Amino acid sequence: MQNLPVLYIGNKNYSSWSLRAWLGLRVAGVAFEEKLVPLRSEEWHAKAPVFSPTAKVPAYFDGTKTIWEALGILEYIADSQPDTMLWPLDIDVRAIARAVSLEMHGGFGPLRSSMPMNCRKSLPGLGRNEGVDKDINRITEIFKMCRTQYGQGGDFLFGHFSIADAMYAPVVTRFKTYGVSLDPIGNAYIETILALPEMKEWYADAATEEWVIDDAEVK
Protein backbone atom coordinates (compact mmCIF):
# COMPACT_ATOMS: atom_id res chain seq x y z
CA MET A 1 0.00 0.00 0.00
CA GLN A 2 1.41 3.34 -1.05
CA ASN A 3 1.79 5.92 1.70
CA LEU A 4 -0.09 9.18 1.32
CA PRO A 5 1.77 12.47 1.04
CA VAL A 6 2.08 14.28 4.36
CA LEU A 7 1.04 17.87 5.01
CA TYR A 8 2.62 19.34 8.13
CA ILE A 9 0.59 22.14 9.67
CA GLY A 10 0.44 24.22 12.84
CA ASN A 11 -2.41 25.04 15.21
CA LYS A 12 -5.67 25.43 13.31
CA ASN A 13 -6.70 28.30 15.55
CA TYR A 14 -3.72 30.46 14.61
CA SER A 15 -1.87 29.17 11.55
CA SER A 16 -3.07 31.11 8.53
CA TRP A 17 -0.44 29.67 6.20
CA SER A 18 -1.39 26.14 7.22
CA LEU A 19 -5.01 26.91 6.38
CA ARG A 20 -4.10 28.08 2.89
CA ALA A 21 -2.37 24.84 1.91
CA TRP A 22 -4.78 22.57 3.78
CA LEU A 23 -7.90 24.17 2.33
CA GLY A 24 -6.56 24.21 -1.21
CA LEU A 25 -5.68 20.52 -1.08
CA ARG A 26 -8.92 19.49 0.58
CA VAL A 27 -11.25 21.38 -1.74
CA ALA A 28 -9.28 20.09 -4.74
CA GLY A 29 -9.79 16.52 -3.53
CA VAL A 30 -6.10 15.76 -2.98
CA ALA A 31 -5.56 12.90 -0.54
CA PHE A 32 -2.93 13.49 2.15
CA GLU A 33 -2.07 12.65 5.73
CA GLU A 34 -2.35 15.62 8.08
CA LYS A 35 0.28 16.01 10.79
CA LEU A 36 -0.30 18.89 13.18
CA VAL A 37 2.64 20.07 15.26
CA PRO A 38 1.71 22.69 17.90
CA LEU A 39 3.43 25.99 17.20
CA ARG A 40 6.28 26.95 19.56
CA SER A 41 5.98 23.73 21.56
CA GLU A 42 8.90 21.45 22.44
CA GLU A 43 7.67 19.12 19.72
CA TRP A 44 7.70 22.04 17.29
CA HIS A 45 11.29 23.03 18.06
CA ALA A 46 12.39 19.41 17.67
CA LYS A 47 10.49 18.51 14.50
CA ALA A 48 10.04 21.68 12.44
CA PRO A 49 13.69 21.89 11.28
CA VAL A 50 13.41 18.24 10.21
CA PHE A 51 10.22 18.38 8.13
CA SER A 52 10.83 21.83 6.62
CA PRO A 53 14.02 23.56 5.44
CA THR A 54 12.63 26.83 6.80
CA ALA A 55 11.39 25.29 10.08
CA LYS A 56 7.95 26.69 9.26
CA VAL A 57 4.56 25.37 8.23
CA PRO A 58 3.08 24.28 5.98
CA ALA A 59 5.35 21.69 4.44
CA TYR A 60 4.32 18.93 2.04
CA PHE A 61 6.26 15.68 1.69
CA ASP A 62 5.22 13.46 -1.21
CA GLY A 63 7.56 10.58 -0.43
CA THR A 64 10.52 11.83 -2.43
CA LYS A 65 10.72 15.58 -1.86
CA THR A 66 9.54 18.34 0.44
CA ILE A 67 7.68 21.40 -0.84
CA TRP A 68 7.38 24.35 1.51
CA GLU A 69 5.40 27.61 1.46
CA ALA A 70 1.63 27.39 0.97
CA LEU A 71 1.73 28.96 -2.48
CA GLY A 72 4.59 26.68 -3.53
CA ILE A 73 2.65 23.62 -2.40
CA LEU A 74 -0.51 24.63 -4.23
CA GLU A 75 1.42 25.57 -7.38
CA TYR A 76 3.06 22.14 -7.32
CA ILE A 77 -0.31 20.40 -7.05
CA ALA A 78 -1.78 22.58 -9.81
CA ASP A 79 1.12 21.62 -12.11
CA SER A 80 1.36 17.94 -11.20
CA GLN A 81 -2.39 17.31 -10.98
CA PRO A 82 -4.00 19.65 -13.53
CA ASP A 83 -7.38 17.96 -13.09
CA THR A 84 -7.62 19.75 -9.73
CA MET A 85 -8.22 22.97 -11.70
CA LEU A 86 -6.57 25.05 -9.01
CA TRP A 87 -5.91 27.82 -11.51
CA PRO A 88 -8.31 29.26 -14.12
CA LEU A 89 -7.82 27.66 -17.53
CA ASP A 90 -7.71 30.93 -19.48
CA ILE A 91 -4.13 32.23 -19.50
CA ASP A 92 -5.14 35.88 -19.08
CA VAL A 93 -7.50 35.13 -16.19
CA ARG A 94 -4.88 32.85 -14.66
CA ALA A 95 -2.41 35.74 -14.70
CA ILE A 96 -4.84 37.88 -12.69
CA ALA A 97 -5.47 35.02 -10.25
CA ARG A 98 -1.73 34.65 -9.73
CA ALA A 99 -1.31 38.40 -9.29
CA VAL A 100 -3.92 38.70 -6.53
CA SER A 101 -2.55 35.55 -4.86
CA LEU A 102 0.96 37.00 -4.83
CA GLU A 103 -0.39 40.31 -3.55
CA MET A 104 -1.80 38.43 -0.57
CA HIS A 105 1.39 36.40 -0.16
CA GLY A 106 3.58 39.47 0.18
CA GLY A 107 1.26 42.23 1.35
CA PHE A 108 -1.29 43.43 3.88
CA GLY A 109 1.18 43.62 6.76
CA PRO A 110 -0.88 45.99 8.94
CA LEU A 111 -3.92 43.71 8.78
CA ARG A 112 -1.84 40.60 9.50
CA SER A 113 -0.16 42.13 12.55
CA SER A 114 -3.14 43.97 14.03
CA MET A 115 -5.72 41.27 13.33
CA PRO A 116 -3.95 37.93 13.83
CA MET A 117 -5.91 34.86 12.87
CA ASN A 118 -7.89 33.46 15.79
CA CYS A 119 -10.76 31.18 14.85
CA ARG A 120 -11.99 30.74 18.42
CA LYS A 121 -12.52 34.39 19.24
CA SER A 122 -15.10 37.05 18.42
CA LEU A 123 -13.49 40.47 18.78
CA PRO A 124 -15.60 42.96 16.81
CA GLY A 125 -14.02 46.37 16.46
CA LEU A 126 -10.57 45.43 17.72
CA GLY A 127 -7.43 45.83 15.64
CA ARG A 128 -8.64 48.72 13.50
CA ASN A 129 -6.24 51.49 12.51
CA GLU A 130 -5.43 53.53 9.43
CA GLY A 131 -3.14 50.91 7.93
CA VAL A 132 -5.63 48.11 8.54
CA ASP A 133 -8.45 50.13 7.00
CA LYS A 134 -6.31 50.71 3.90
CA ASP A 135 -5.73 46.96 3.62
CA ILE A 136 -9.44 46.24 4.09
CA ASN A 137 -10.31 48.71 1.34
CA ARG A 138 -7.84 47.11 -1.05
CA ILE A 139 -9.14 43.61 -0.31
CA THR A 140 -12.68 44.86 -0.89
CA GLU A 141 -11.54 46.12 -4.31
CA ILE A 142 -9.94 42.76 -5.11
CA PHE A 143 -13.04 40.80 -4.16
CA LYS A 144 -15.27 43.11 -6.21
CA MET A 145 -12.99 43.05 -9.27
CA CYS A 146 -12.59 39.28 -9.26
CA ARG A 147 -16.24 38.49 -8.63
CA THR A 148 -17.63 40.96 -11.19
CA GLN A 149 -15.04 40.51 -13.95
CA TYR A 150 -13.95 36.89 -13.58
CA GLY A 151 -16.40 35.15 -11.25
CA GLN A 152 -18.93 33.89 -13.77
CA GLY A 153 -19.84 30.24 -13.40
CA GLY A 154 -19.46 29.98 -9.64
CA ASP A 155 -19.39 31.74 -6.30
CA PHE A 156 -15.62 32.04 -5.88
CA LEU A 157 -13.21 34.77 -6.94
CA PHE A 158 -12.71 33.23 -10.37
CA GLY A 159 -15.91 31.22 -10.52
CA HIS A 160 -14.44 27.80 -9.73
CA PHE A 161 -12.50 27.42 -6.46
CA SER A 162 -8.86 28.29 -7.07
CA ILE A 163 -5.59 28.95 -5.30
CA ALA A 164 -6.68 32.57 -5.00
CA ASP A 165 -9.55 31.54 -2.73
CA ALA A 166 -7.21 29.47 -0.57
CA MET A 167 -4.86 32.43 -0.26
CA TYR A 168 -7.62 34.78 0.92
CA ALA A 169 -9.40 32.31 3.22
CA PRO A 170 -7.43 33.34 6.34
CA VAL A 171 -8.40 36.96 5.70
CA VAL A 172 -12.02 35.84 5.65
CA THR A 173 -11.51 34.30 9.10
CA ARG A 174 -10.05 37.58 10.31
CA PHE A 175 -13.04 39.52 9.01
CA LYS A 176 -15.30 37.10 10.89
CA THR A 177 -13.30 37.32 14.12
CA TYR A 178 -12.98 41.11 14.13
CA GLY A 179 -16.46 41.87 12.79
CA VAL A 180 -15.33 43.50 9.54
CA SER A 181 -18.14 44.19 7.07
CA LEU A 182 -17.39 44.84 3.40
CA ASP A 183 -19.67 45.81 0.53
CA PRO A 184 -22.46 43.40 -0.53
CA ILE A 185 -20.22 41.58 -3.01
CA GLY A 186 -17.47 41.15 -0.45
CA ASN A 187 -19.85 40.03 2.28
CA ALA A 188 -21.42 37.45 -0.03
CA TYR A 189 -17.97 36.10 -0.84
CA ILE A 190 -17.09 35.88 2.86
CA GLU A 191 -20.21 33.79 3.41
CA THR A 192 -19.27 31.55 0.48
CA ILE A 193 -15.89 30.74 2.00
CA LEU A 194 -17.23 30.24 5.52
CA ALA A 195 -19.94 27.91 4.19
CA LEU A 196 -17.44 25.47 2.71
CA PRO A 197 -17.64 22.12 4.54
CA GLU A 198 -13.86 22.14 4.77
CA MET A 199 -13.89 25.52 6.51
CA LYS A 200 -16.50 24.29 8.96
CA GLU A 201 -14.28 21.30 9.70
CA TRP A 202 -11.27 23.57 10.25
CA TYR A 203 -13.25 25.75 12.67
CA ALA A 204 -14.55 22.72 14.55
CA ASP A 205 -11.02 21.38 14.97
CA ALA A 206 -9.71 24.79 16.06
CA ALA A 207 -12.42 24.99 18.73
CA THR A 208 -11.16 21.79 20.37
CA GLU A 209 -7.50 22.82 20.54
CA GLU A 210 -6.18 23.50 24.02
CA TRP A 211 -3.01 25.38 23.06
CA VAL A 212 -2.89 29.13 23.66
CA ILE A 213 -0.22 31.45 22.26
CA ASP A 214 -0.40 34.58 24.38
CA ASP A 215 1.12 37.02 21.90
CA ALA A 216 -1.28 35.82 19.20
CA GLU A 217 -4.25 36.77 21.35
CA VAL A 218 -5.61 40.28 20.80
CA LYS A 219 -7.10 41.51 24.05
Side-chain angles (χ1 to χ4, degrees):
M1 181 177 178
Q2 186 176 6
N3 292 331
L4 290 174
V6 177
L7 181 69
Y8 294 92
I9 63 172
N11 310 43
K12 290 186 175 180
N13 189 55
Y14 301 114
S15 186
S16 58
W17 290 104
S18 295
L19 172 58
R20 290 179 170 102
W22 184 94
L23 182 66
L25 297 181
R26 285 292 305 274
V27 175
V30 177
F32 62 91
E33 179 185 356
E34 172 188 316
K35 289 192 176 181
L36 190 154
V37 183
L39 298 170
R40 306 184 194 177
S41 64
E42 290 185 8
E43 182 184 5
W44 171 266
H45 291 299
K47 292 183 177 179
V50 177
F51 65 67
S52 171
T54 61
K56 296 179 180 179
V57 286
Y60 180 85
F61 180 67
D62 70 356
T64 61
K65 60 186 171 297
T66 297
I67 312 296
W68 61 99
E69 292 284 348
L71 189 54
I73 292 166
L74 295 176
E75 285 270 22
Y76 171 67
I77 296 299
D79 288 342
S80 62
Q81 302 181 42
D83 57 323
T84 58
M85 295 180 62
L86 279 171
W87 284 128
L89 295 177
D90 183 274
I91 189 170
D92 294 328
V93 178
R94 188 160 66 247
I96 301 300
R98 277 199 166 102
V100 298
S101 296
L102 287 165
E103 185 174 353
M104 171 51 66
H105 187 275
F108 306 110
L111 187 146
R112 294 176 194 271
S113 60
S114 296
M115 292 183 170
M117 180 167 141
N118 192 321
C119 295
R120 291 195 295 256
K121 289 290 185 70
S122 178
L123 304 166
L126 292 186
R128 297 295 288 261
N129 57 53
E130 184 177 353
V132 170
D133 286 344
K134 183 177 179 180
D135 284 349
I136 291 170
N137 290 339
R138 174 57 187 152
I139 292 168
T140 301
E141 292 174 358
I142 290 171
F143 288 176
K144 185 175 183 179
M145 175 193 71
C146 293
R147 288 294 303 132
T148 57
Q149 297 184 32
Y150 308 106
Q152 298 80 6
D155 296 326
F156 298 99
L157 292 178
F158 294 88
H160 185 274
F161 182 92
S162 73
I163 290 173
D165 299 293
M167 292 299 293
Y168 281 85
V171 168
V172 167
T173 74
R174 287 172 162 96
F175 290 166
K176 180 179 186 295
T177 297
Y178 298 96
V180 176
S181 181
L182 308 182
D183 62 12
I185 291 174
N187 288 337
Y189 176 69
I190 288 171
E191 292 305 314
T192 292
I193 294 298
L194 293 175
L196 284 168
E198 295 83 1
M199 285 294 290
K200 292 180 179 180
E201 179 183 340
W202 182 276
Y203 266 90
D205 290 346
T208 66
E209 292 179 349
E210 298 179 353
W211 310 291
V212 174
I213 299 176
D214 287 337
D215 61 7
E217 296 283 336
V218 175
K219 301 178 177 67

